[in-house]
Amino acid sequence: MLTSRHPRTFAARLDSRTESNQLARHLLRAYLAALPTGDHYSGIAELLLSELFANAVQHCDAPIDRLVEIRIALINHRLRLEVHDAGSGRPSLRSPSPDDEHGRGLFLVNELAERWGCCPRAGGIGKFIWVLIAPSLTTADELLSTTPSPRDHHGRKVQA
């Protein structure tokens, strides 16, 4: 089911399956293509949405028939992405070792998003993870090669 609540806001509910991640990215690309400055967000936004959606599918303890909702909005020149699921777990940032095959998703979110966080959903069932992405002409690969930025417990970058 797709809904549009405002010309700059978009939401979609997708099956909680790995295969739905591709559709989520496609919807994000379509949303950004309609914005005059959409290309300033595209690479990082697609990577972060993909990570958040994959985490919602992989780590959610809700029944398999529950949907995962994505929300996309442009607010004050910041792209806001949200991924909602009905699971009870909360994400935790960790530092994976070089040998770990998994566990880098939130690390990428922490490094590439301007801010991010986790909130309970209205009605008390589940949570949503949100990220704010600043416009940039820098590619995701260029950003990944920089030194990590320290963050406070709300996901905001702090001055070192």
Side-chain angles (χ1 to χ4, degrees):
M1 176 175 135
L2 304 178
T3 60
S4 179
R5 292 178 282 198
H6 186 271
R8 300 234 181 235
T9 301
F10 175 81
R13 292 186 180 131
L14 308 172
D15 289 335
S16 182
R17 302 179 337 188
T18 303
E19 297 81 13
S20 297
N21 200 330
Q22 182 178 355
L23 177 56
R25 292 190 313 269
H26 172 77
L27 294 170
L28 174 63
R29 285 190 300 270
Y31 177 90
L32 292 174
L35 298 177
T37 58
D39 60 334
H40 295 180
Y41 306 94
S42 58
I44 294 169
E46 192 169 340
L47 175 64
L48 296 185
L49 179 62
S50 184
E51 289 296 337
L52 294 178
F53 195 92
N55 283 350
V57 170
Q58 181 179 4
H59 300 294
C60 185
D61 58 0
I64 193 69
D65 64 342
R66 301 293 180 184
L67 300 175
V68 174
E69 181 174 336
I70 62 169
R71 294 184 188 178
I72 307 165
L74 187 63
I75 304 167
N76 297 325
H77 304 288
R78 298 297 187 264
L79 185 67
R80 182 178 172 104
L81 304 177
E82 296 179 8
V83 176
H84 297 241
D85 68 59
S88 62
R90 298 286 202 173
S92 62
L93 185 61
R94 64 185 193 101
S95 297
S97 71
D99 296 336
D100 287 344
E101 292 183 21
H102 302 284
R104 290 177 176 76
L106 276 182
F107 178 79
L108 288 174
V109 169
N110 192 57
E111 291 307 307
L112 297 177
E114 183 176 77
R115 291 179 62 189
W116 72 277
C118 179
C119 299
R121 288 173 61 192
I125 299 173
K127 66 184 169 305
F128 66 95
I129 311 299
W130 58 269
V131 296
L132 285 180
I133 302 168
S136 174
L137 296 176
T138 307
T139 67
D141 289 338
E142 291 169 338
L143 285 173
L144 287 173
S145 68
T146 63
T147 304
S149 304
R151 305 282 179 138
D152 68 12
H153 68 282
H154 295 292
R156 293 182 296 240
K157 291 183 182 175
V158 296
Q159 299 298 323

